[in-house]
């Protein structure tokens, strides 16, 4: 069986939903994981923010505007009186529920309930459309099988047991529609897998049903050799390994959610990235064994803050790094890059929510400098494919750009360099120009 995930833009309008229905109706049974229609989750976040601030008028206005949008979608998507009525009732039900939160008490539990509405609506509409157009489809609720544990990690055993039970109950199934992103937590409350988490859902589901392939359908024809918005002449990478894909997703390539690769990798299920707008294009396949190439792609991650901690008296002292890292752990802030010298350490972070308390605690151990507006430029490949000369080529390509930090050897799969954002474009272009002609 295959698991296919379609993102927000792929189901972003009635026409696109109809297109997806055509695409999935190819005679093979499959599980179809959908995001909310594009713009919806952002709108629901906005509504929640108004509710946190008790700005009930603005929240109500935004709720009504979004509801109206969905009545139009129903009208254009469904054609018979019966299904139009079902669609309108569906929208009224979900928006009535959202309105029930326009009241004083608003916490993150209520917010998560609100955020979960987008995927529930998109999947129900898709299911109605499939049925109205005579296709055999079933809708199963991710809230019945998708669960995270107390660390926010998928509860694999629970998910496997429950999704397979749901499938068995359907008996003879063909197109099974379910929601990405949404889940329950250990208390049974509605939760989610973080923004962009539908890719992760698809990968978790693929692993739980022993899928032969997981497909992520998006609006670009695969993972590219460089950022196509910044650099000309990039092209889709035909194949890459799980490890390379994970590095690329983490360090910038926006198409895949960084955690998405993990369940597929553990279960050794290939992940194919496909373009809804160009279904015949080959896309990118991510799998275990691919021919090694030294450099596969280049990516950049924006919004990075560099922090340097110089210890004035701890020359050779042990335990310094532990103390530094513990501070980041306390504030649940993950570190992307690390470089060390005898007297100090530089790290980068992208989440600056707790920057101030982190800095003030770090100051107990030395002189601290923090500076934002950096990007991590990352070269990804299988560096063990050709040990000699890769670093030289990469650094030569960067010869006109001031580099603040370099990380090499953390894994076999990437060289990362920290540069000021103003140099991002030049760095990506110079790397592309010089690297791909060498390797
Ligand atoms: N709808 C969610 C979001 O916008 C999840 C997803 O699309 O992957 O973040
Ligand atoms: Mg996405």
């Amino acid at each position: 069986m295959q698991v296919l995930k379609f993102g927000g833009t792929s189901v972003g309008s009635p026409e696109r939903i109809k297109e997806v229905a055509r695409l999935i109706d190819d005679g093979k049974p499959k599980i179809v994981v959908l995001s909310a229609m594009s713009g919806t989750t952002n709108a629901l976040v906005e509504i929640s923010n108004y509710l946190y601030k008790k700005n009930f008028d603005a929240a109500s206005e935004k709720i009504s505007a979004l509801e109206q949008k969905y009545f139009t979608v129903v009208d254009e998507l469904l054609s018979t009186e019966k299904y139009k009525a079902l669609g309108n009732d569906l929208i009224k039900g979900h928006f009535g529920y959202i309105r029930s939160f326009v009241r004083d008490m608003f916490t993150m539990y209520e917010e998560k309930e609100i955020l979960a509405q987008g995927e529930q609506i998109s999947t129900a509409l898709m299911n109605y459309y499939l049925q109205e157009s005579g296709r055999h489809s079933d809708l199963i609720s991710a809230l019945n099988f998708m669960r995270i544990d107390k660390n926010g990690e998928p509860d694999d055993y629970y998910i496997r047991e429950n999704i397979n039970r749901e499938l068995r109950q359907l008996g003879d199934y063909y197109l099974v529609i379910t929601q990405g992103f949404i889940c329950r937590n250990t208390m049974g409350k509605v939760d989610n897998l973080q923004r962009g988490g539908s890719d992760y859902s698809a990968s978790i589901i693929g692993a739980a049903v022993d899928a032969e392939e997981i497909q992520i359908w998006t609006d670009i024809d695969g993972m590219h050799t460089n950022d196509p918005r910044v650099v000309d002449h990039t092209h889709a990478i035909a194949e890459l390994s799980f490890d390379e894909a994970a590095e690329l997703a983490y360090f910038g390539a926006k198409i895949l959610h960084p955690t998405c690769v993990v369940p597929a990798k553990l279960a050794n299920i290939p992940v194919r990235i496909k373009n809804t707008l160009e279904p015949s294009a080959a896309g990118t396949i991510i799998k275990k064994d691919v021919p090694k190439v030294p450099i596969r792609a280049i990516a950049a991650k924006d919004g990075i803050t560099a922090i340097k901690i110089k210890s004035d008296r701890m020359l050779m002292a042990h335990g310094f790094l532990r103390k530094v890292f513990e501070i980041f752990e306390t504030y649940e802030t993950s570190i992307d890059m690390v470089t060390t010298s005898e007297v100090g350490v530089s790290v980068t972070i992208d989440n600056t929510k707790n920057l101030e308390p982190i800095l003030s605690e770090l100051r107990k151990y030395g002189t601290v400098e923090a500076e934002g507006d950096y990007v991590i430029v990352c070269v990804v490949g299988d560096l063990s494919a050709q040990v000699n000369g890769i670093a030289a080529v990469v650094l030569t390509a960067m010869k006109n750009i001031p580099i603040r930090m370099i990380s090499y050897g953390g894994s076999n799969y990437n060289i990362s360099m920290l540069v000021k954002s103003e140099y991002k474009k030049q760095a990506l272009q110079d790397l592309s120009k010089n690297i791909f002609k060498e390797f």
Side-chain angles (χ1 to χ4, degrees), residues 5-8 34-42 115 118-119 180-182 194-200 257:
K5 177 258 171 178
F6 292 87
L34 301 183
S35 288
M37 292 178 76
S38 54
T40 296
T41 311
N42 285 344
L115 294 195
E119 271 72 9
F181 179 58
I182 67 175
Q194 315 275 336
R195 294 302 308 273
S198 291
D199 296 345
Y200 196 24
H257 191 264

Side-chain angles (χ1 to χ4, degrees), residues 1 29-31 136-140 162-176:
M1 187 162 54
K30 54 179 68 70
I31 299 178
H136 178 185
S137 72
D138 292 287
L139 179 64
I140 59 174
N162 285 282
I163 190 169
N164 286 302
R165 192 203 57 237
E166 294 274 321
L167 291 174
R168 273 195 308 277
Q169 280 170 0
L170 295 178
D172 197 16
Y173 56 80
Y174 170 43
L175 302 174
V176 180

